[in-house]
């Protein structure tokens, strides 16, 4: 895929209404015909045109609800007929693609667990060859931009020209409030390389809890992304999958209509504002990363403190500190950062580490 990959602009797919955000909404899983119709009706009522529902569900543990299978595709056809909505589902292999094409689905997406598997991506690309339905590719669960791009390349090589991406965050062992690490920097990098790819965020799987939907959707809009894929269920409390992160259609209407602030993305007159907002959003992301790195560093300091205490070793080893500071100054100044700034910053960090270790030393078990 070259940076000039030829794609059909999303405005010509005939799927979405503008201005931003383009919205795809619907339940995590299709569970029953009644649940699909009730949810779709609630969404259609306030102008959602693109409906999602998982038919085959990739679950972490065996024995969890694994989707209703192909019979759910008939329910999606009813949504097309009765509400005039476009419908889409997740495909993870050739058989899924065939079933979707046989049932006239309007679009498919590839889930995070599948994007990371080149065999499956090639199988799906081959099965889609010769069709012109749009395909959205979620990021792989690991923060591997090349793997994501590789999946897009396979589809592009198979002749898919209606391509888009969905950013749903990355698995992490770090202690973060969200279900998945937003890792916005990777999304920004992909966007910078392929600005023509329609870009959706999936705040539902990123946050894992409906309480984070607003802040994550807002961040996606501030970064200038075009769309949102959000999970919505007529009765989230009894959902068979992802119950905590789904919104009732009415709640989604409020989130989109009254809470999210969407700034004009392509105003000529507002060039300055737009650039400054983008830069500030980038800074916010970096600050979040800095905070989480600092927290991790302090956690390790605490563990060192405990270890020293167990072995009856003093907190401060000046030679270690001197060599650390020297190395940081050398490396940092080489990148163009000011020496005085680095000295102050690392002295403060060190001081806090010492304070934490001191705390550990004098805490009685
Ligand atoms: C989903 O969209 O329901 C889903 C399984 O998402 P992901 O592939 O992002 O985990
Ligand atoms: Mn889900």
């Amino acid at each position: 895929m070259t940076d000039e990959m030829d794609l059909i602009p999303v405005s010509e797919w005939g799927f979405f209404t503008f201005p931003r955000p383009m919205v795809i909404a619907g339940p995590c899983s299709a569970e029953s015909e009644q649940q699909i119709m009730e949810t779709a009706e609630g969404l259609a009522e306030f102008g959602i045109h693109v409906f999602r529902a998982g038919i085959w569900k990739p679950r972490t543990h065996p024995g969890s609800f694994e989707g209703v299978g192909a019979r759910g595709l008939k329910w999606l056809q009813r949504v097309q007929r009765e509400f005039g909505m476009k419908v889409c589902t997740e495909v993870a292999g050739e058989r899924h693609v065939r079933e979707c094409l046989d049932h006239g689905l309007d679009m498919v997406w590839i889930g995070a667990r599948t994007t990371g598997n080149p065999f499956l991506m090639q199988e799906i690309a081959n099965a889609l060859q010769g069709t012109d339905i749009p395909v959205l590719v979620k990021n792989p669960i690991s923060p591997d931009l090349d793997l994501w791009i590789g999946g897009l390349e396979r589809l592009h090589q198979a002749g898919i020209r209606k391509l888009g991406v969905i950013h749903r965050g990355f698995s992490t062992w770090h202690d973060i409030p969200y279900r998945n690490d937003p890792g916005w920097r990777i999304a920004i990098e992909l966007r910078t390389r392929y600005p023509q790819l329609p870009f959706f965020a999936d705040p539902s799987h990123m946050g894992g809890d409906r309480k984070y939907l607003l802040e994550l959707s807002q961040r996606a809009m501030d970064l200038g992304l075009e769309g949102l894929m959000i999970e919505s269920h007529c009765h989230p409390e009894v959902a068979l999958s992802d119950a905590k992160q789904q919104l009732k259609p009415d709640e989604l209407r409020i989130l989109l209509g009254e809470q999210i602030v969407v700034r004009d993305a392509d105003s000529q007159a507002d060039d300055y504002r737009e650039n400054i907002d983008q830069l500030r959003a980038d800074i916010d992301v970096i600050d979040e990363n800095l905070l989480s790195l600092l927290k991790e560093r302090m956690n390790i300091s605490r563990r060192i403190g405990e270890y020293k205490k167990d072995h009856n070793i003093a907190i401060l080893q000046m030679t270690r500190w001197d060599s650390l500071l020297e190395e940081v100054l050398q490396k940092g100044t080489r990148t163009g950062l000011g020496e005085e700034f680095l000295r102050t910053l690392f002295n403060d960090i060190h001081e806090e580490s010492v304070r934490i270790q001191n705390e550990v030393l004098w805490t009685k078990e």
Side-chain angles (χ1 to χ4, degrees):
M1 186 162 68
T2 67
D3 289 8
E4 280 99 49
M5 66 173 156
D6 57 310
L7 292 179
I8 300 180
V10 67
S11 55
E12 292 171 23
W13 297 4
F15 272 52
F16 297 100
T17 50
F18 295 88
R20 291 189 307 149
M22 309 186 287
V23 179
I24 303 167
C28 179
S29 303
E31 299 167 4
S32 68
E33 189 163 5
Q34 153 74 19
Q35 166 247 12
I36 285 296
M37 295 312 286
E38 189 178 336
T39 307
E41 183 174 20
L43 294 169
E45 255 167 30
F46 69 95
I48 300 291
H49 297 297
V50 186
F51 186 75
R52 63 150 282 158
I55 296 289
W56 302 280
K57 298 304 298 179
R59 303 308 300 279
T60 303
H61 298 285
S64 308
F65 173 66
E66 289 184 330
V68 294
R71 74 197 164 100
L73 296 171
K74 299 227 165 21
W75 310 336
L76 294 182
Q77 289 178 315
R78 245 191 100 187
V79 171
Q80 284 173 321
R81 279 196 311 273
E82 294 185 27
F83 304 116
M85 293 169 108
K86 303 281 186 191
V87 297
C88 60
T89 196
E90 172 178 344
V91 292
E94 181 186 356
R95 183 174 60 84
H96 296 168
V97 172
R98 298 252 166 265
E99 302 262 30
C100 288
L101 296 174
D102 287 348
H103 287 81
L105 259 65
D106 300 292
M107 177 166 75
V108 293
W109 82 83
I110 292 160
R113 289 159 198 78
T114 307
T115 307
N117 182 333
F119 291 129
L120 288 176
M121 288 305 291
Q122 193 58 53
E123 179 183 313
I124 293 169
N126 294 345
L128 283 165
Q129 192 142 23
T131 68
D132 76 337
I133 73 169
V135 183
L136 303 180
V137 183
K138 288 200 175 193
N139 62 269
I141 52 177
S142 54
D144 185 334
L145 181 56
D146 276 331
L147 212 45
W148 198 358
I149 292 175
L152 291 161
E153 285 170 342
R154 288 177 198 278
L155 292 162
H156 190 254
Q157 274 178 9
I160 305 296
R161 292 293 175 267
K162 295 176 186 162
L163 262 184
V165 291
I166 306 174
H167 180 46
R168 49 78 83 196
F170 304 98
S171 281
T172 177
W173 50 269
H174 293 256
D175 183 18
I176 59 168
Y178 304 131
R179 177 174 172 186
N180 287 295
D181 181 351
W184 293 110
R185 285 165 72 178
I186 292 175
I188 293 167
E189 174 66 25
L190 181 63
R191 189 159 178 71
T192 311
R193 278 160 71 172
Y194 303 105
Q196 68 274 50
L197 267 179
F199 214 120
F200 292 79
D202 173 348
S204 308
H205 291 92
M206 206 179 262
D209 191 309
R210 60 183 75 82
K211 71 179 174 210
Y212 298 126
L213 286 175
L214 177 58
E215 66 187 54
L216 290 169
S217 305
Q218 188 62 59
R219 172 59 53 78
M221 289 301 101
D222 292 345
L223 288 171
L225 307 192
E226 285 94 5
L228 296 171
M229 177 186 256
I230 304 193
E231 287 187 339
S232 176
H233 189 297
C234 51
H235 303 288
E237 63 289 353
V238 293
L240 297 180
S241 58
D242 289 349
K244 261 172 63 182
Q245 71 194 30
Q246 306 205 55
L247 280 185
K248 289 184 184 156
D250 214 41
E251 294 166 335
L252 182 59
R253 178 181 58 75
I254 293 169
L255 180 91
L256 294 171
E258 297 171 24
Q259 297 179 320
I260 293 179
V261 180
V262 184
R263 295 189 180 84
D264 212 349
D266 55 4
S267 157
Q268 300 306 314
D270 283 342
D271 242 0
Y272 167 73
R273 266 246 72 79
E274 195 187 319
N275 286 332
I276 205 97
D277 285 347
Q278 174 80 46
L279 291 169
R280 284 181 179 151
D282 291 358
I283 288 269
D284 288 347
V285 169
I286 290 174
D287 284 350
E288 262 175 38
N289 289 338
L290 281 175
L291 286 175
S292 96
L293 281 175
L294 280 171
K295 176 166 180 287
E296 225 173 282
R297 194 189 193 283
M298 293 308 160
N299 284 345
I300 293 176
S301 283
R302 186 174 293 278
R303 279 171 44 205
I304 292 180
E306 280 158 3
Y307 196 66
K308 284 181 185 165
K309 183 181 177 181
D310 288 343
H311 292 77
N312 219 16
I313 307 282
I315 290 173
L316 213 54
Q317 279 81 43
M318 275 327 271
T319 47
R320 157 77 182 147
W321 169 239
D322 286 344
S323 66
L324 186 156
L325 187 63
E326 193 183 15
E327 193 165 334
V328 160
L329 290 180
Q330 240 180 42
K331 282 190 182 152
T333 47
R334 238 184 282 141
T335 67
L337 292 166
E339 183 174 335
E340 226 11 74
F341 161 68
L342 288 167
R343 206 179 277 284
T344 318
L345 178 68
F346 276 85
N347 268 318
D348 284 351
I349 290 176
H350 184 240
E351 207 174 299
E352 176 65 2
S353 291
V354 170
R355 190 193 65 72
I356 286 172
Q357 295 194 14
N358 207 37
E359 204 175 56
V360 169
L361 190 60
W362 295 103
T363 307
K364 293 205 176 67
E365 270 100 356

